[in-house]
């Protein structure tokens, strides 16, 4: 993670100095993500149910199982998006410096922080940038859980801005690089980009149904893959 960031430090520093340069930073971030994935011995494989529209903003969501989810998401999605992520990741040396400059950080124990997240996300969506949230809110402690319960934030924002949900399923990230210390291996890392879920005409009372529909799409994909 650190070596390519150090090599590209001057470029990254310039591109993160202004929000209007974020699309250019995003291109570099995708290049960095691929260096990390291939450098760790992973072979990304992405299939799509439909091709996302690069001219639309999305609420991008996926199951959360690994630190590699960040890099794999950057590899999978071409449309510039901003991560909403926990502030603890900002403490990671080198990576954390740019993480806090480019992502929307949330302190899950602070109501004020959660309010600020919504304000910043609203601003980025108005600029035409997509938002990426892992709606489980973290990696489940129980490694046997395929998909934990989803939190409301991503779906509330999507309804507020009437932007579609773009669900992704990550099949192998937990197996390749989990949070258990002595685990993981090189190999294929597969993702499936599902068809977008429209939110036009939905109101906040539809939030629960939208959230559960999205979760079931990801959960069923994982269950079907396990059967195979």
């Amino acid at each position: 993670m650190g070596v390519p960031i150090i090599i590209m430090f001057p470029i990254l520093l310039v591109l993160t100095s202004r929000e209007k340069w974020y699309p250019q930073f995003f291109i570099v971030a995708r290049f960095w993500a691929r260096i990390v994935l291939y450098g760790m011995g992973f072979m990304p494989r992405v299939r799509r149910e439909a091709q996302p529209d690069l001219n639309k903003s999305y609420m991008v969501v996926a199951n959360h199982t690994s630190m590699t989810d960040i890099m794999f998401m950057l590899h999978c999605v071409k449309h510039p998006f901003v991560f909403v992520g926990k502030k603890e990741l900002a403490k990671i040396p080198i990576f954390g410096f740019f993480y806090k400059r480019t992502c929307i950080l949330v302190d899950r124990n602070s109501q004020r922080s959660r309010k600020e997240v919504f304000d910043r996300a609203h601003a980025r969506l108005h600029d035409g940038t997509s938002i990426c949230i892992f709606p489980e809110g973290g990696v489940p402690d129980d490694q046997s859980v395929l998909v934990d319960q989803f939190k409301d934030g991503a779906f509330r924002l999507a309804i507020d801005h009437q932007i579609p949900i773009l669900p992704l399923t990550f099949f192998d990230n937990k197996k390749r690089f989990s949070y258990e210390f002595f685990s993981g291996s090189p190999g294929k890392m597969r993702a499936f980009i599902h068809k977008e879920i429209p939110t036009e005409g939905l109101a906040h009372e539809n939030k629960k149904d939208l959230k559960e529909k999205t979760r079931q799409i990801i959960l069923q994909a994982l269950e079907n893959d396990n059967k195979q």
Side-chain angles (χ1 to χ4, degrees):
M1 290 173 62
V3 171
I5 294 177
I6 293 170
I7 293 171
M8 297 186 290
F9 191 89
I11 298 172
L12 295 173
L13 195 61
V14 170
L15 294 180
T16 57
S17 61
R18 295 189 181 181
E19 272 193 8
K20 67 178 183 180
W21 292 338
Y22 184 79
Q24 289 73 34
F25 167 82
F26 185 79
I27 294 171
V28 177
R30 294 191 76 220
F31 178 67
W32 164 81
R34 289 171 178 171
I35 291 174
V36 175
L37 292 174
Y38 285 108
M40 294 176 73
F42 305 137
M43 294 173 283
R45 300 289 184 269
V46 183
R47 294 188 299 123
R48 295 170 176 81
E49 190 172 6
Q51 186 68 41
D53 187 345
L54 295 178
N55 297 314
K56 291 168 66 172
S57 290
Y58 290 97
M59 177 58 64
V60 184
V61 301
N63 53 313
H64 195 18
T65 59
S66 168
M67 275 287 290
T68 59
D69 295 345
I70 292 173
M71 284 73 85
F72 201 22
M73 184 67 80
L74 286 166
H75 173 82
C76 292
V77 180
K78 297 178 181 179
H79 188 288
F81 64 82
V82 174
F83 282 108
V84 174
K86 56 187 180 182
K87 69 171 189 176
E88 291 83 356
L89 293 182
K91 298 177 182 178
I92 298 175
I94 305 173
F95 169 83
F97 176 79
F98 291 105
Y99 177 80
K100 66 185 177 183
R101 287 168 69 96
T102 57
C103 299
I104 300 173
L105 306 189
V106 58
D107 180 353
R108 289 174 291 182
N109 298 317
S110 167
Q111 182 65 37
R112 180 180 176 182
S113 175
R114 292 197 292 270
K115 172 66 168 59
E116 290 173 351
V117 165
F118 275 97
D119 291 342
R120 290 191 62 194
H122 279 303
R124 299 311 293 265
L125 286 168
H126 277 303
D127 291 341
T129 305
S130 293
I131 299 290
C132 176
I133 297 178
F134 294 106
E136 292 165 275
V139 177
D141 293 329
D142 184 350
Q143 293 286 308
S144 66
V145 173
L146 287 179
V147 184
D148 208 347
Q149 295 302 313
F150 282 1
K151 300 186 183 303
D152 292 342
F155 308 96
R156 175 182 160 188
L157 275 168
I159 289 172
D160 282 349
H161 288 269
Q162 298 287 282
I163 59 171
I165 305 287
L166 185 65
L168 281 76
T169 300
F170 295 157
F171 295 101
D172 306 304
N173 295 24
K174 184 190 297 186
K175 178 168 59 178
R176 294 285 164 250
F177 195 79
S178 78
Y179 278 82
E180 292 182 347
F181 193 69
F182 291 106
S183 67
S185 66
K188 286 184 182 179
M189 185 176 273
R190 297 169 297 144
F192 188 82
I193 303 177
H194 300 275
K195 190 163 50 176
E196 66 184 64
I197 304 172
T199 61
E200 291 93 341
L202 298 185
H204 281 181
E205 53 263 32
N206 307 116
K207 180 175 58 184
K208 183 177 179 180
D209 291 338
L210 178 64
K211 176 175 67 174
E212 189 55 31
K213 178 180 180 179
T214 306
R215 182 177 178 273
Q216 285 301 317
I217 287 172
I218 295 172
L219 179 60
Q220 287 175 12
L222 290 168
E223 288 175 341
N224 291 338
D225 188 66
N226 284 347
K227 290 176 184 176
Q228 296 173 8

